[in-house]
Amino acid sequence: LYERHCAGCHGTAGDGLGPDIKDLIVPPANFRSAKSRIKTDMDLYLAIKHGVLFSPMHGWADRLSDQEIWDILSYIRSLAPFDPIG
């Protein structure tokens, strides 16, 4: 799911360097950054489900089930685990 829906912008490594970034005005999140790793699972879940205001990150609620969103979130956490200390 991540490869199909997310890697184009966020990169296969979750570093925000996907092949589609050349077309974006606002860069995608780098999940490996401290800024992303301090976000809670719910923060990320809501961003995936509803999108991020003033960014090209659109919501996926109309295309992915809640379980698929959680699966993608779990994959993101495998690339960049939660780090509340940053």
Side-chain angles (χ1 to χ4, degrees):
L1 287 169
Y2 179 89
E3 288 292 324
R4 186 174 338 130
H5 299 296
C6 311
C9 293
H10 296 284
T12 57
D15 56 9
L17 298 175
D20 298 339
I21 64 169
K22 64 187 178 318
D23 300 322
L24 302 177
I25 294 171
V26 177
N30 171 357
F31 299 125
R32 295 173 170 256
S33 73
K35 180 180 176 183
S36 287
R37 292 180 64 189
I38 63 171
K39 291 183 179 180
T40 66
D41 286 354
M42 188 54 69
D43 290 335
L44 293 177
Y45 172 83
L46 291 172
I48 296 167
K49 185 169 180 127
H50 299 294
V52 177
L53 196 58
F54 303 117
S55 85
M57 175 61 189
H58 53 81
W60 290 89
D62 61 338
R63 288 163 280 182
L64 297 173
S65 70
D66 285 339
Q67 184 58 56
E68 288 172 322
I69 293 171
W70 283 113
D71 291 344
I72 289 171
L73 176 56
S74 293
Y75 183 76
I76 291 168
R77 289 300 192 201
S78 76
L79 297 173
F82 176 61
D83 181 7
I85 298 170

